[in-house]
Amino acid sequence: QVQFVESGGGLVQSGGSLRLSCAASGIILSSYYMGWFRQVPGRYRELVASITSGGTTNYGDSVRGRFTISRDNAKNTVYLQMNSLKPEDAAVYYCNSVLRRDNWGQGTQVTVSS
C-alpha cells in the first residue's frame, strides 16, 4: 500500500526558511513524477513544485526562485526547500504523484507570520 508521510512544517517568520520532507512506502519515488502540493481552507489543492523521474524540476509562478524540490533516491524521500517565505505561502503541504494524486498523506502545516 502506498503511503506518504510529510514532515518539517512549522511556524516561521516572513523571510524565513523551512525544509519539508516526504517519506514514501509502497512506491519507488524515483520512478514517478512527484510533486509538492499545498492547500488552504476553501481553496483547491495547488501543485507548487514537481520533479520527474529524470530529475527535471518545475515550479509554480508563485514559488519559482524561492522553493527547490529535490529527491534522495537512497532514502526514497522527496524534499521541498522553501526560502524567503511569505504569509501567502501558509498552507498544508502534501506530496504525491502528480499523475495519480491518490493515497494522500496527512500533510504538514506551514504557518508564516508577517
Side-chain angles (χ1 to χ4, degrees), residues 20-84:
L20 307 184
S21 299
C22 170
S25 58
I27 183 174
I28 299 174
L29 293 182
S30 60
S31 298
Y32 286 83
Y33 181 23
M34 292 297 300
W36 278 97
F37 302 78
R38 68 186 182 188
Q39 187 173 27
V40 298
R43 298 192 64 181
Y44 67 95
R45 196 164 291 181
E46 171 192 19
L47 175 64
V48 296
S50 63
I51 183 167
T52 69
S53 57
T56 300
T57 57
N58 285 284
Y59 300 92
D61 290 341
S62 61
V63 306
R64 188 175 292 112
R66 301 187 297 120
F67 290 12
T68 303
I69 188 171
S70 61
R71 185 179 63 218
D72 186 327
N73 294 340
K75 295 182 179 180
N76 206 35
T77 299
V78 174
Y79 302 96
L80 186 67
Q81 177 67 44
M82 305 187 298
N83 298 329
S84 302

Side-chain angles (χ1 to χ4, degrees), residues 9-24:
L11 172 63
V12 63
Q13 288 187 334
S14 181
S17 299
L18 285 173
R19 187 194 194 204
L20 307 184
S21 299
C22 170

